[in-house]
Amino acid sequence: MMPEMINMTNTLRLNEYLTKSDEKKTALNAAYADYTRQLEQIISSLLSIQADLKDILKAEASIIDAHDSGKTEKKTRAKSKK
C-alpha cells in the first residue's frame, strides 16, 4: 500500500509539473506568434517604404535629367547666337 501511495504522489507531482510547463510553453508560443506577426508587419512597412523611396529617386532623377537637358539646350542656343 505504501509504495502505491508513493507512486501516485509522484505521478500527481509530475502531472502538476507538466501542466505548469505546458502552460508556460503555450504562453511562450503565443508570445512568439505575436512577435512573428509584428516582424511581418515591420517588414511589410519597410518594403513599402523602399518602394516609395525608389519612386522618389526615379522622379528626382527624371527632374535632374530634364534640368540638365535644359541647360544643355540653353548652352547650345547661346553658342549659335554668336
Side-chain angles (χ1 to χ4, degrees):
M1 180 79 172
M2 191 64 151
E4 193 175 301
M5 280 183 74
I6 292 172
N7 283 339
M8 291 293 279
T9 303
N10 288 340
T11 303
L12 183 60
R13 286 183 186 150
L14 179 61
N15 188 32
E16 289 173 357
Y17 170 78
L18 291 175
T19 301
K20 288 179 184 177
S21 176
D22 188 50
E23 288 171 356
K24 289 179 182 180
K25 288 177 185 177
T26 300
L28 185 60
N29 282 336
Y32 183 75
D34 289 342
Y35 170 75
T36 303
R37 275 191 296 277
Q38 289 176 3
L39 280 180
E40 288 173 350
Q41 289 176 350
I42 290 169
I43 290 171
S44 176
S45 296
L46 287 175
L47 291 175
S48 176
I49 291 168
Q50 183 183 30
D52 292 345
L53 287 174
K54 284 181 181 179
D55 291 342
I56 290 169
L57 287 174
K58 287 177 184 176
E60 287 180 349
S62 66
I63 291 170
I64 291 170
D65 287 345
H67 182 69
D68 287 347
S69 61
K71 283 184 177 179
T72 305
E73 194 174 296
K74 287 179 184 177
K75 287 181 184 177
T76 307
R77 287 183 189 166
K79 287 181 183 178
S80 61
K81 286 183 180 178
K82 289 182 180 179

